[in-house]
């Protein structure tokens, strides 16, 4: 694979990058980027462009980690003590959970969000999406 230099729009440091689990609709590679400026962005690597960006705004808390749950959804862990689920197609987001301390790591297996207090909290994004569809959330 050849080296690719992306034109990233982050104004502060990048906290994590991760490739999508499968190609995008155009057959290209997507890269999810979290950063200290409070942004979570999805880049189409092959087109060298940002396809979706969730920017909390000036003075927003850093997004400390991110991961894909599937090709259409992503999760962020933030210094604002939240774990958020993002629908990458619609641009909508919802809070999966809140914590007493900043959340510094998000991984997807059945989504495990780890806090710096050495306590493991598990969120289930599938059940959360079912609750949203049912109008419970």
């Amino acid at each position: 694979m050849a080296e690719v230099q992306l034109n990233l729009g982050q104004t502060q440091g990048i906290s994590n990058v991760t490739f999508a689990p499968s190609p995008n609709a155009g057959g290209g590679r997507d890269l999810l980027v979290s950063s200290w400026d409070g942004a979570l962005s999805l880049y189409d690597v092959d087109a060298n462009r940002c396809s979706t960006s969730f920017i909390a705004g000036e003075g927003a808390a850093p997004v400390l980690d991110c991961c894909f749950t599937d090709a259409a959804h992503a999760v962020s862990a933030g210094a604002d003590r939240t774990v958020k689920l993002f629908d990458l197609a619609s641009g909508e987001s919802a809070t999966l959970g809140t914590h007493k301390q900043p959340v510094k790591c998000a991984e997807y297996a059945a989504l495990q969000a780890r806090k710096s207090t050495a306590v493991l909290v598990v969120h289930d994004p599938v059940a959360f999406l079912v609750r949203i569809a049912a109008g419970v959330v």
Side-chain angles (χ1 to χ4, degrees):
M1 181 165 79
E3 179 179 303
V4 176
Q5 291 187 11
L6 293 175
N7 298 317
L8 301 178
Q10 280 68 21
T11 59
Q12 294 185 24
I14 292 173
S15 55
N16 190 43
V17 297
T18 185
F19 279 98
S22 57
N24 61 31
R29 297 170 294 162
D30 282 338
L31 183 70
L32 190 64
V33 178
S34 58
S35 59
W36 280 81
D37 60 4
L40 180 70
S41 303
L42 181 68
Y43 290 90
D44 181 326
V45 173
D46 300 311
N48 197 356
R49 68 175 180 84
C50 180
S51 53
T52 305
S53 191
F54 302 91
I55 301 173
E58 184 78 24
V63 179
L64 302 176
D65 199 11
C66 61
C67 67
F68 285 95
T69 61
D70 55 37
H73 297 93
V75 171
S76 72
D80 63 354
R81 304 182 318 267
T82 63
V83 176
K84 294 179 181 172
L85 176 67
F86 296 87
D87 182 316
L88 300 172
S90 72
E92 295 182 14
S93 66
T95 300
L96 276 176
T98 57
H99 299 263
K100 293 179 182 177
Q101 299 287 328
V103 185
K104 67 178 189 173
C105 184
E107 296 291 330
Y108 181 77
L111 187 62
Q112 302 171 353
R114 295 186 293 262
K115 302 187 308 184
S116 60
T117 55
V119 174
L120 176 67
V121 178
V122 178
H123 300 281
D124 183 354
V126 175
F128 188 76
L129 288 172
V130 169
R131 289 176 40 216
I132 288 174
V136 177
V137 176

